[in-house]
């Protein structure tokens, strides 16, 4: 419930998550990331407050990057919730300020089908915000190669999501070269 989440945020919960997500005990890190994912599943305002908290998103990204799988998975949910429930400014914060794309693509290589579906949905939201600019960043971090390799995963849902992403944002998969959509900002500057 968003009201309960807001009450917890108002009581100072977010100040406590980063130290707990960096704790030496795995179970505490997992629960901290789970709590963070519940906050980021809330309103756009709650997501904005989460992103504004010093060191919080950085700590969650670090949890998603390394460590035990159950901690990484909870951190992945947190980051995906920001992408799917937040506004374009929240996605820009993750992509441009926090450089989250390599971490998301690394999560795709673990082989967890549910997390793959989750991250692919998050990537669709990310690329929707800025197809040209973020498409280039995806390619630069090796993400397009990972997406192409994922077409071999034994999951029809993952396969369909991957093909949709590639066709929607990177052109026809049969093309020899990747084509990035031209953004309106590029057109207006000519």
């Amino acid at each position: 419930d968003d009201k309960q989440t807001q009450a917890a945020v108002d009581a100072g919960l977010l100040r406590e998550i980063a130290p707990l997500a960096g704790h030496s005990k795995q179970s505490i890190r997992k629960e901290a990331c789970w709590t963070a994912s519940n906050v980021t599943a809330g309103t756009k305002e709650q997501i904005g407050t989460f992103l504004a908290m010093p060191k919080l998103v950085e700590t969650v990204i670090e949890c998603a990057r390394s460590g035990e799988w159950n901690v990484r998975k909870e951190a992945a949910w947190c980051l995906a919730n920001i992408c799917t429930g937040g506004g374009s400014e929240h996605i820009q914060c993750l992509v441009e300020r926090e450089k989250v794309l390599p971490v998301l693509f690394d999560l795709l290589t673990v082989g967890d089908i549910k997390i793959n579906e989750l991250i692919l949905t998050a990537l669709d939201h990310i690329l929707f915000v800025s197809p040209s600019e973020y498409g280039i960043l995806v390619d630069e971090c090796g993400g397009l190669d990972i997406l192409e390799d994922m077409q071999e995963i034994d999951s029809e849902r993952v396969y369909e999501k991957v093909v949709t992403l590639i066709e929607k944002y990177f052109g026809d998969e049969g093309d020899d070269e990747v084509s990035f959509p031209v953004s309106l900002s590029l057109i207006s500057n000519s």
Side-chain angles (χ1 to χ4, degrees):
D1 179 320
D2 291 337
K3 289 180 184 177
Q4 292 171 329
T5 301
Q6 190 59 50
V9 169
D10 291 344
L13 172 72
L14 295 180
R15 284 188 301 276
E16 305 305 323
I17 294 176
L20 294 172
H23 197 275
S24 61
K25 276 187 82 173
Q26 173 207 341
S27 60
I28 293 174
R29 287 193 309 276
K30 177 188 178 283
E31 292 303 321
C33 288
W34 176 82
T35 302
S37 75
N38 280 309
V39 173
T40 59
T43 65
K44 283 180 172 50
E45 292 76 21
Q46 290 164 347
I47 291 171
T49 303
F50 179 91
L51 290 170
M53 185 62 52
K55 299 289 182 199
L56 183 52
V57 73
E58 296 93 336
T59 304
V60 170
I61 289 171
E62 186 54 39
C63 286
R65 176 178 295 135
S66 61
E68 303 85 355
W69 177 240
N70 61 347
V71 176
R72 292 182 72 197
K73 187 166 42 172
E74 293 301 336
W77 275 99
C78 178
L79 298 172
N81 287 344
I82 294 169
C83 295
T84 59
S88 60
E89 69 277 12
H90 302 127
I91 290 172
Q92 288 170 332
C93 175
L94 279 183
V95 173
E96 296 172 21
R97 186 182 83 192
E98 302 302 335
K99 312 293 188 221
V100 76
L101 285 174
V103 175
L104 295 179
F105 280 102
D106 184 54
L107 288 164
L108 287 176
T109 65
V110 173
D112 183 304
I113 299 299
K114 185 146 181 87
I115 293 300
N116 284 350
E117 291 176 11
L118 175 76
I119 298 300
L120 291 168
T121 300
L123 288 169
D124 188 25
H125 285 261
I126 289 170
L127 288 163
F128 181 80
V129 169
S130 183
S132 181
E133 181 183 355
Y134 294 168
I136 291 168
L137 293 176
V138 164
D139 191 39
E140 288 176 351
C141 78
L144 189 55
D145 292 333
I146 291 170
L147 290 175
E148 289 171 351
D149 290 346
M150 287 183 74
Q151 293 179 75
E152 304 301 319
I153 289 179
D154 192 24
S155 166
E156 189 173 329
R157 287 174 48 165
V158 169
Y159 173 81
E160 289 172 2
K161 284 180 175 272
V162 167
V163 168
T164 299
L165 275 178
I166 291 172
E167 289 177 353
K168 188 174 177 181
Y169 298 108
F170 301 100
D172 199 4
E173 71 178 278
D175 290 349
D176 287 341
E177 291 197 23
V178 175
S179 60
F180 296 103
V182 177
S183 74
L184 293 176
S185 63
L186 292 175
I187 294 170
S188 64
N189 290 334
S190 1

